[in-house]
Amino acid sequence: MENLDYGIIGNCKSAALVSKTGSMDWCCLPNFNSAGIFAKLLDDEIGGSFEINTGDDYNITQEYLWETNILSTVFDNGEDAFQLIDFMPRYSRDDGSYYAPPDIVRFFRILKGAPKLRIIYNPRLEFAREETFNENKGAYIKSYTREGKYDSLFLYSSFNLDDILEQREIILEENSYCLLAYHEKLIPQTLDRSYLKFQRTKTYWMNWSEKTTRYSHYHNEIMRSALVLKALSYKKSGAVLAAATTSLPETIGEERNWDYRFCWIRDASMVIKVMAGLGHVQSAKEFLQFIIDIIPHKDEKIQIMYGINGEKELTEHILDHLKGYRGSAPVRTGNAAYIQKQNDIYGILMEVIYQQFLQFETSLENSEELWTIVRGIVMIVEENWQKPDKGIWELRTEDRHFVFSKLLCWVAIDRAIKIGEVLRMGVNDTKWKTLRADIYNDIYNNGWNEEIQAYTQSYNSKDLDASTLLMESYGFIEAEDPRFVSTVMATEKELCRDGLMYRYKNKDDFGEPTSSFTICTFWLIDSLYKIGEKEKAKAMFEQLLSYSNHLGLFSEDIDFETKRLLGNFPQAYSHLALIETAANFSKGLVSEENFLGVF
C-alpha cells in the first residue's frame, strides 16, 4: 500500500491492523510485544496476512462503527454486498473482570445478493522465522511451527475449512464468521457465539466512549484519538504503548526504524495526562500503579522505557530475514534506547503525579508510595540536572545540555513543591525552591540565544528545536512573554515547511532528518494559537487533519512532498497532541449534555 491506510482493532491486550481492503497485515499474539503472526506490513512476500479477496468490480468502503474500535469494511458491486466486521473481544463479566482473550473475530454480514469471495489465510508464526504449517483438524485449522521456537494458532469458522485452506471461491449465502484464537477453545464455537461477542464488545466501547468528555468542536477527531490511545493501553499492567508496530521507517529506504511496542515513561505520562483530562480517571490510576510497581526500591533509577509488563532489559535484535516496510531495512525487535539517560522523563512523570494528587482521590497507602517516588525523583534531579543527556529525541551519539531536558528538570522540582503543598508536607520546602530557581536561571541564561532571539535546542547552540515550543504549556514562561513569542516565530521560520514541522534540522546519528514529525506540527499550531495567531493556527490545524488516513489515524511522521504517513502506527504521541490542540480550539467547553451527565 502506498500509504498507511489501516485501521487498528484491539482489546487492551494486543492489536491488529486491517487495510482499507480488508487485509489483516499486522498482528502479534498473544500480547502487543509478542512475535508477529501476520507481518505483511514488514515483508509483503513472506510476512503473512489474512486477506478477503473479491472481484475488481466490488467497491470497498471502510469506517469504524460509531465510537468504537470495531472496524467495518463493506464490499459492494451493486448487486451483491456484504459487511466485514473486525474486532478483538473485550467486555466485562458479571464479577467486574474483563473478557479479553487473544482472539480476533471476523464477522461476515450479508447485505444483499450472493457475494463471492476468497479467503487468503496465510499466518506466518514467529515473524516468519520458520515455516508455518496449516492443517484441517475438523473443528478448526491449526497453524504451527516445527522448527525453531514452537508456536501455534487456531482458526474456527462457519465456512468450510478446506475452502479456506485451498483458497476456493466462497458464495456468501448467510452470515458467517472466522474466529482466530491463540489458544484452543474448550467449548464449541458458533455463529451465534461470535455475534454475541460482537454485541458485547460494541456495548463495551460505546459505554467507554460515553464517559469521555465531549467538546464543542472537533468532537469526532478527539473521540477517535481517545479510542486509539485506549487501544494502545495494556490493561494487565497499566502500561501505555508508543505505537502498535515495529520498524515502520521515518523515511522510506532509511534506517530510522525502531520497535515502539514498549512503554516510554515520557509518552505514557503525556497520554495519561490527556486521558485523565478526558474523564478516564481509572487509566491514570492504573498507569501510576505501573510506575509504583516498576520502582520497588528507593535507590532504583527510573529507565526511560520499559516492557509492557515492566521488563527492564529490552535488548535490540535484527530480523534480517524480513526485507522491511517497502524495503526499508532493518526490522528490529527490542529497543536499545532503554539504556539511554534522558533527564526530561522526571518532569513529565511528576506532572502526572501532581495531577493525580490535585484532581483525584488517592488512598493513604498509594499516597505514601507516590510521595516516596516524588522525593526520590527530586534527589535524582538534584544530582543530574546539570549533566548532559540524550534528550527527548534519543540521539544515540553525543550527550548534550538539551534545553528541553533542563526544562523538564525544572518542571520536576516545581511540581514536587506543589505536591508537597497539596499534601501539606512542607518537606525541604526552602531547599527545593532554591533548586527550582537555580534551574530556571540556568535555562534563562544559557538556553536563550540572543543572536537569533530564541530558545535553542541545546546550550551554546544556534540550532532550533520544536520541543522548546512546550515551554509555555509547562508553565516556564507566559504566552505573552516576548521571549516565547520570538521563539515561536523563529522556530516556525526555521523548521516549518509547507505547514509541516521538522523536529530539528541539524544532523543527527543518521544525517539530516527528511520527514515531518507529526506531534511537532501540533505543538506549533498550539503555540501560534496561544500567541494570538488564531486564524493561522486554525487553518494549519484543518490542513493537518486532512493528512490523516481514511479513518482519521496518524502515524509518527508525514512525508513533506507526498503527505504519506510514515513511522510507527498508530502513534500515541500524535493522537495525544491532536486531542490537546483540538481541546484548546474548543476552549475546554463541554457540551450541555455532557455537563448534565457528568455532574
Side-chain angles (χ1 to χ4, degrees), residues 61-65 70-74 83-86 551:
T61 57
Q62 190 176 67
E63 63 181 356
Y64 279 105
L65 298 188
I70 300 174
L71 198 58
S72 167
T73 310
V74 173
Q83 179 187 30
L84 174 64
I85 299 172
D86 285 316
L551 296 170

Side-chain angles (χ1 to χ4, degrees), residues 27-31 34-38 102-103 121 123-127 130-135 137 140-156 180-185:
C27 182
C28 299
L29 291 180
N31 299 313
S34 302
I37 62 169
F38 304 124
D103 294 355
Y121 179 62
R124 301 299 298 269
L125 303 176
E126 292 296 312
F127 280 126
E130 308 292 343
E131 183 178 0
T132 297
F133 297 89
N134 302 307
E135 290 185 12
K137 295 292 188 179
Y140 51 77
I141 295 172
K142 181 178 181 180
S143 302
Y144 59 95
T145 55
R146 291 175 180 163
E147 304 292 334
K149 182 180 179 181
Y150 175 78
D151 207 354
S152 61
L153 192 66
F154 304 87
L155 180 69
Y156 299 81
L180 187 66
Y182 187 75
H183 303 297
E184 182 179 355
K185 295 300 178 184

